[in-house]
Amino acid sequence: MHTICCDVWSIVSERHGWRVGRYVLMTDHVHFFCAPLEACRPLSLLVGKWKEWTAKRAARELNLAVPLWQEEFFDHVLRSQESYEQKWIYVRDNPVRAGLVSNANNWPYQGELQELRY
């Protein structure tokens, strides 16, 4: 699933005008940071298509049942580098709070696809 998510994130820039930076995949949800390019489609469209494309691939390649994702999503606007870093620390530490690893750096389902600047 990690590979599928990253593959789909890698094409959203050209298809929807959003760059995806850091992300953390959890056992029951996902967090990812994204930033719009000059000409971008609405964030809700990006998230909806990402969910659709990842769910279809997961059903086909991993035999996972659909629907895979919840209908809604929650977004938060980051207005500064400080806000970005604070949110990233919170997101990065999700696997630790969930008791999945003792150190966030040991969680294998996280990464950064593109560097985002605020």
Side-chain angles (χ1 to χ4, degrees):
M1 194 64 206
H2 185 209
T3 299
I4 291 171
C5 290
C6 289
D7 285 351
V8 174
W9 279 322
S10 72
I11 62 171
V12 299
S13 179
E14 65 187 48
R15 289 192 179 178
H16 290 279
W18 288 86
R19 293 177 301 124
V20 176
R22 293 173 172 170
Y23 66 88
V24 174
L25 293 171
M26 296 294 292
T27 57
D28 61 352
H29 67 282
V30 62
H31 295 272
F32 65 92
F33 290 64
C34 60
L37 298 171
E38 284 188 32
C40 67
R41 295 185 177 174
L43 179 60
S44 58
L45 182 62
L46 161 69
V47 173
K49 287 299 186 182
W50 180 82
K51 288 179 179 184
E52 176 187 337
W53 297 333
T54 55
K56 284 181 178 178
R57 274 194 58 187
R60 185 176 61 248
E61 297 175 19
L62 305 174
N63 295 316
L64 293 179
V66 292
L68 183 63
W69 305 107
Q70 295 177 343
E71 286 186 31
E72 70 275 349
F73 75 97
F74 303 96
D75 62 341
H76 181 81
V77 176
L78 303 176
R79 290 176 169 59
S80 68
Q81 185 65 31
E82 180 181 336
S83 176
Y84 179 88
E85 289 303 320
Q86 290 170 343
K87 280 295 179 191
W88 171 243
I89 291 167
Y90 173 81
V91 167
R92 182 202 63 204
D93 289 343
N94 261 229
V96 174
R97 285 191 301 279
L100 300 169
V101 290
S102 59
N103 182 316
N105 294 326
N106 294 335
W107 185 243
Y109 310 111
Q110 67 170 320
E112 183 174 27
L113 300 173
Q114 296 180 38
E115 183 177 347
L116 302 181
R117 297 175 195 261
Y118 292 92

